[in-house]
Amino acid sequence: MSLYYVQKLLYNLNRDARVRQRHADDFGDLLKEYDLSEEERRALVDGDIGLLYVMGVNGQILMHYAALLGYPWDDYIKSMREGLAKHGPVRHGLYLTTDGRGAV
Amino acid sequence: MPLVFAGVCSHAPGITGRAERADPELREDFYAAMRRLGGEIRAARPDALVIVAAEHFANFFMNNMPAYCMGMAERYEGPIEDPEWLGIAPRTYPGASALSRRLIERIMARIDLAYAEEWQFDHGIMVPLHFLLPEADLPVIPVNINCQGPPLTPLSRAYEFGRALREACDAVQERIAVVGTGGISHWPATPDSGKINEAWDRDFLDRWLANDHARLTAYTDAETWREAGQGGFEIRTFIAVAGAAEGAVGELYFYAPIPIFAVGCTVARLRI
Ligand SMILES: [Fe+2]
């Protein structure tokens, strides 16, 4: 279970311009420093917001990763809904969906 | 000097980041209430503003998570988020490191407070300051209460932290204003973003405006999570301000759900 390290990577990305530069230059190389499962590595490389959401990445951290990847707001919300449809309910953490109905 | 001001407001990033998507009339009424709070802070002639916020993994992570942390830096920068995404340009706020240190020493007598000489502001502080201190011309002292990564501090301790903060503010020479930012009910950063439990919010505000310690601290986290979402854990910041203004009751300047802002937008103060 390396969800912690997925979140740590995204935390570092959100707060450190040098880590963002490495993300832009060679994400694969940056990922080597984190102890991740293959599914986690794939989700990060693919920028799969829906899967990362279902895995249980804290929503606040994920929201900023989606922004970094250039997701417009509505697409970011949509990606989480698609993740739920494809992969099932959120597996860990507090950022569950209730009625699934939001502002957009 | 005795604490000169105590208030609360919302801090959701959509307030500035998705401004143009809200009902213009509601948005402008809310912004006006935020600015009113800012004007009243200035009118209280504070030497510094202590802002009690609930951050979102900008500075603190689960590798070393303090329940309570106060800034002790000479200056603070923000936003940590993409400025365009947040709708707030980067800026620097002056700190008050020597004053911070005296406050921290005092508070430590009652609360095991962490301190930080580095701190990048996220939307939890930038959004309120955008309205409250548009000129960035008053020293700011940030406080974080962990409302994100459980285990979380109990509500009764958040109130107690507020009491300790009050005692510290009263003990120093400077005039200090306190503002709490957060919640109330919301489900941010989920597909439900925009869902707001208005009845729960209004009941919470009743308790807060009455500064009713027993009822403010009666919630369990399980109950809050169910009724008010994971965003509801941020009531800790409001409860801390109630503790800092114990004995004072409040006045609600604004409350309205604005779904695209993902929160019931709130502006209120306690009349100390
Ligand atoms: Fe928040």
Side-chain angles (χ1 to χ4, degrees), chain A residues 27-83:
Chain A
F27 194 27
D29 184 58
L30 175 63
L31 288 176
K32 283 186 203 146
E33 291 172 20
Y34 296 84
D35 182 11
L36 305 171
S37 73
E38 186 47 35
E39 187 189 35
E40 288 161 345
R41 213 186 58 81
R42 269 256 66 81
L44 287 164
V45 168
D46 295 347
D48 189 339
I49 295 300
L51 180 53
L52 291 166
Y53 172 66
V54 166
M55 283 176 175
V57 172
N58 179 286
Q60 298 287 344
I61 293 175
L62 187 60
M63 178 170 72
H64 293 128
Y65 189 51
L68 177 73
L69 296 178
Y71 278 73
W73 183 255
D74 292 14
D75 292 350
Y76 150 67
I77 299 287
K78 206 172 107 201
S79 300
M80 289 190 284
R81 293 204 179 109
E82 286 169 357

Side-chain angles (χ1 to χ4, degrees), chain B residues 11 54 56 123 186 234:
Chain B
H11 71 213
H56 319 79
H123 66 264
H186 58 318
E234 291 182 345

Side-chain angles (χ1 to χ4, degrees), chain A residues 86-101:
Chain A
K86 192 166 166 194
H87 305 290
V90 174
R91 300 171 196 165
H92 299 282
L94 298 168
Y95 280 70
L96 306 189
T97 184
T98 55
D99 56 15
R101 293 200 305 271

